[in-house]
Amino acid sequence: MDYFNYKDNELYAEDVKVSSLVKEYGTPLYVYSKATLQRHMRSFEEACSSHKHLICYAVKANSSLSILSLMAKMGAGFDIVSKGELLRVLEAGGDPKKVVFSGVGKTDDEIAFALKTGINCLNVESEAEAYNIENIARDLGIKAKIAIRVNPNVDAKTHPSISTGLKNNKFGISYDKAFDVYKKLSQSPYIQISGIDCHIGSQMTSGQPIVDAVARLLELYHKLKDNGINIDHIDIGGGLGVTYGDETPPSPSEFMSAVIALLKDIDVAIYIEPGRAMVANAGILLTQVLYTKQNGDKNFCIVDAGMNDLIRPALYNSWMNIIEANKKTGPKLCYDVVGPVCESDDFLGKDRHLCVERGDILAVRGAGAYGSAMSSTYNSRALCAEVMVSGDKSCVIRKRQDLKEIFANEVIVDL
Ligand code: LLP
C-alpha cells in the first residue's frame, strides 16, 4: 500500500498532483512519499516487536540523505556496504552503534574507518577478510565486533542476478566452513564475536527460503553455544520482495512471524536489513513523453528518462508498472516505452497499453528502490532531481545536477 493514487483521473503523490510537481521541478523527477516510507518502517517495527530486534535499513536501495534521516528519526539502524554509505548515514544523523557493514570487498581504509567510528558490527564475508580485520583492529588497539556472513546454500528463488545465498555465489563463508572460522576467531584478543549473518537474495516473494536459511543459522548458533561461543544477534539480511506487477509477497509481519517463531526461545536479537520493501513503493519516477513513432510493427513512446536514470528494466529485464499521470479516455496503443540513451536496451517498459501524446507525463511505479541509487550520468545526462512529498507539501531533496558538474572533476591534458 502506498500513497500514489488517482483522483478524478489525475495521479497524486499524497495530496499533491504529480502534474504540478512536474511544472515546478521538471522531468525526469523522482518523487517519494513520506507517509509511505513511515508506514513501511512502522510495519517492520510492528512485525519485529515481539522479539529483541534491530532494523538496519539497507542504504544501497536508496541512499538519499533525507530518506536516511527519516529512517534514523524513526529509530532505524543501517546496513552499509561502503565508507561512502557510512558517511551518508553519519551526515543524516544515523547512530553508528546501529550500523552493520556488509560487502565482500571492504578495503583497509573502510575497515579502519568503520572501527574508529564505532559501528555495531562488521559482517565478515571471507576468512581472509576476518584476518585483515583482526590486523587492523590490533593496529588501532580496538576490539572489532564481527558476525560471519554464512552462505547457507539456500535458493532464494529469485532472479539469478539478485540471488546471493547459493554455494557458488561470491557472498559469505560457506556453511560447512563457518564453524571452524568462528572457532579460530574466538581465540583472537582483537575480535569480539557478535553475530551470525546471512543474506540470501532480493525480491523474494515467499518467506520459505528465509525460514530454511534461518533454520541453518539456528543449528550453527547451537553448535557455537555448545562450544562456548556466544553471540548476541542473528542477522537475517534483507530480501523481502514487493509488488511490481502481480507478485504477492508476504507482508513484513507474515515474513517475520515465521522467523521469530524459529528464534523465539533463544536470547539473541534479530537483525534485519530490508531495502527494497522499505522504499520501492514509496517512490515513482516521472518522465515526459518527447515523441511517439512507429518503426516496423512497433510503436515507440520516447520519454525523457533513460536507463541512466532507472536501469532495472535494462539490466534485469525487470517489469515495472508505467502509468499515465493523467488518465485519458482515448484509444490505447501498445508501446515500447524507451529512453533517449543510445542503446537498444534503453527501455523502461515493453508492450505497454497507453493513450499518450507528446508532453504527457508517465510515472514508473516502484522506483524508490534501486532507482536513483543506481543511476549514472551515461551519455552525459544529469542525475535527476528528487522530491519528497508530505501531505500537500513538496520539497527538493536532491537538486537536478548541473550539466557542467558532470565533468567538473576532469582535466584536459596534452601529454
Ligand atoms: N543486505 C545485504 C547484504 C544485501 O546485499 C542487500 C541487497 C540487502 C540487505 C537489501 O536487500 P533488499 O531488502 O533490498 O532485497 N539492484 C537490485 C537489487 C540488488 C540487491 C543487492 N543486495 C535490483 O534492483 O533488483
Side-chain angles (χ1 to χ4, degrees), residues 217-248:
L217 301 194
L218 187 59
E219 263 172 53
L220 181 58
Y221 161 84
H222 284 300
K223 193 165 170 197
L224 291 172
K225 195 167 189 279
D226 293 346
N227 283 271
I229 301 172
N230 291 304
I231 57 155
D232 57 45
H233 73 266
I234 289 184
D235 184 339
I236 67 164
L240 175 58
V242 300
T243 302
Y244 289 108
D246 54 9
E247 306 90 336
T248 51

Side-chain angles (χ1 to χ4, degrees), residues 58 60-61 79 81 102-103 125 149 162 164 171 199 201-203 237-240 244 273-277 312 316 318 369-370 374:
K60 64 172 80 69
D79 166 51
V81 289
S102 307
E125 301 228 12
R149 176 167 175 180
I162 51 176
T164 50
F171 298 99
H199 169 77
S202 197
Q203 184 53 12
L240 175 58
Y244 289 108
E273 303 168 358
R276 188 189 315 267
R312 302 193 67 258
Y316 314 112
S318 303
Y370 306 109
M374 293 178 79

Side-chain angles (χ1 to χ4, degrees), residues 161-212:
S161 305
I162 51 176
S163 186
T164 50
L166 285 168
K167 68 174 195 268
N168 288 333
N169 293 136
K170 72 174 176 179
F171 298 99
I173 294 182
S174 66
Y175 187 84
D176 304 335
K177 289 191 193 143
F179 175 72
D180 287 339
V181 180
Y182 271 112
K183 244 178 116 180
K184 283 190 225 162
L185 293 177
S186 69
Q187 314 296 318
S188 168
Y190 299 103
I191 296 281
Q192 181 186 333
I193 289 172
S194 171
I196 309 176
D197 169 51
C198 77
H199 169 77
I200 59 170
S202 197
Q203 184 53 12
M204 287 187 282
T205 50
S206 145
Q208 195 53 45
I210 202 78
V211 168
D212 296 345

Side-chain angles (χ1 to χ4, degrees), residues 142-164:
I142 291 174
K143 199 161 181 166
K145 281 177 76 182
I146 63 114
I148 289 182
R149 176 167 175 180
V150 175
N151 185 329
N153 193 21
V154 167
D155 186 354
K157 298 201 166 57
T158 182
H159 189 290
S161 305
I162 51 176
S163 186
T164 50

Side-chain angles (χ1 to χ4, degrees), residues 299-347:
N299 294 309
F300 289 97
C301 170
I302 301 156
V303 295
D304 67 357
M307 63 191 288
N308 70 300
D309 304 301
L310 179 64
I311 202 173
R312 302 193 67 258
L315 189 58
Y316 314 112
N317 209 13
S318 303
W319 192 93
M320 300 182 74
N321 198 6
I322 302 177
I323 59 176
E324 294 141 354
N326 175 2
K327 268 200 235 171
K328 292 190 275 190
T329 45
K332 290 181 188 265
L333 275 185
C334 180
Y335 288 104
D336 280 5
V337 180
V338 299
V341 172
C342 298
E343 299 262 355
S344 293
D345 270 343
D346 177 30
F347 71 96

